[in-house]
Amino acid sequence: MCGILAIAGKAQVAGRLVDGLKRLEYRGYDSAGIAVAWDEGIERRRAKGKIHNLQARLHEEPVEGFTGIAHTRWATHGAPNEINAHPHMADGVAVVHNGIIENYRELREGLEAKGRVFESETDTEVIAQLVAQYMADGMDEVAAFGEALSKFTGAFAIAAIFAGKPDLVIGARKGSPLVLGYGEGE
Ligand code: GLU
């Protein structure tokens, strides 16, 4: 059972994301990762194993930015390794996901037929790829995410960030819990 977390804040977010993951650590996991959005793009760091491996990675290669997503993974589709660790990215879209996209295989085949290249074995990557495809078709972030959501079957909680949109986090849930909170002044 994994944990997902997103923060759109007013201070450096990487440390806050890792702190949040630690609070969810009791749920068990096999890998962990974060991604941070800034004006020019998205920076991602992932590591197999415990959160301290991710912290070591962040120590070597820090990420800066105020808005990010984080995940501890309990693998259901694809081996527990760094390639399959979340966040998953396609073009300028990064997502973390708790649960299972049951119809991911047919969605993936349709996207591959359009020339999209997947890098992981997960069901989750299809979320990022489908949102990216709708954006390539001309939709904005919110419309593309909404259109993608309407295609998924299964139970899930998802959070997404976008390159060049450091003020935007999109969250969605179906069956799985997701809690929204407001920080002071945030
Ligand atoms: N099904 C996704 C995966 O295998 C998410 C698993 C989870 O909830 O951690 O990557």
Side-chain angles (χ1 to χ4, degrees):
M1 208 197 323
C2 79
I4 76 172
L5 182 74
I7 298 174
K10 296 207 181 301
Q12 291 298 331
V13 79
R16 299 174 73 193
L17 289 169
V18 170
D19 286 347
L21 288 182
K22 284 187 180 160
R23 295 191 201 187
L24 295 169
E25 207 170 7
Y26 68 94
R27 303 181 73 171
Y29 61 97
D30 53 60
S31 56
I34 71 167
V36 174
W38 52 295
D39 287 332
E40 308 293 319
I42 292 176
E43 287 280 335
R44 173 175 66 173
R45 303 287 182 266
R46 301 178 292 176
K48 188 179 170 189
K50 293 293 170 193
I51 290 170
H52 60 73
N53 295 346
L54 175 64
Q55 284 179 295
R57 182 68 52 86
L58 283 163
H59 188 69
E60 286 162 20
E61 287 184 275
V63 293
E64 297 209 344
F66 296 174
T67 293
I69 53 178
H71 189 263
T72 45
R73 178 173 187 238
W74 185 263
T76 65
H77 293 68
N81 58 32
E82 186 171 327
I83 299 279
N84 290 329
H86 302 211
H88 287 286
M89 291 175 62
D91 302 333
V93 183
V95 302
V96 288
H97 162 225
N98 166 228
I100 294 173
I101 305 297
E102 282 168 4
N103 60 337
Y104 82 99
R105 205 177 293 274
E106 65 188 75
L107 292 171
R108 178 169 176 152
E109 283 168 9
L111 288 162
E112 285 175 336
K114 289 188 172 172
R116 294 217 150 255
V117 178
F118 283 65
E119 68 168 19
S120 79
E121 303 163 306
T122 64
D123 53 329
T124 299
E125 190 180 349
V126 83
I127 302 170
Q129 295 277 4
L130 191 57
V131 174
Q133 181 63 47
Y134 287 135
M135 288 176 67
D137 291 344
M139 292 185 200
D140 68 19
E141 291 79 2
V142 174
F145 191 87
E147 187 67 19
L149 270 188
S150 74
K151 302 292 188 289
F152 301 141
T153 60
F156 49 77
I158 302 167
I161 55 172
F162 300 86
K165 294 270 174 164
D167 293 334
L168 180 65
V169 172
I170 302 181
R173 72 176 194 92
K174 184 178 159 200
S176 301
L178 190 65
V179 177
L180 175 65
Y182 289 94
E184 274 177 40
E186 292 183 321

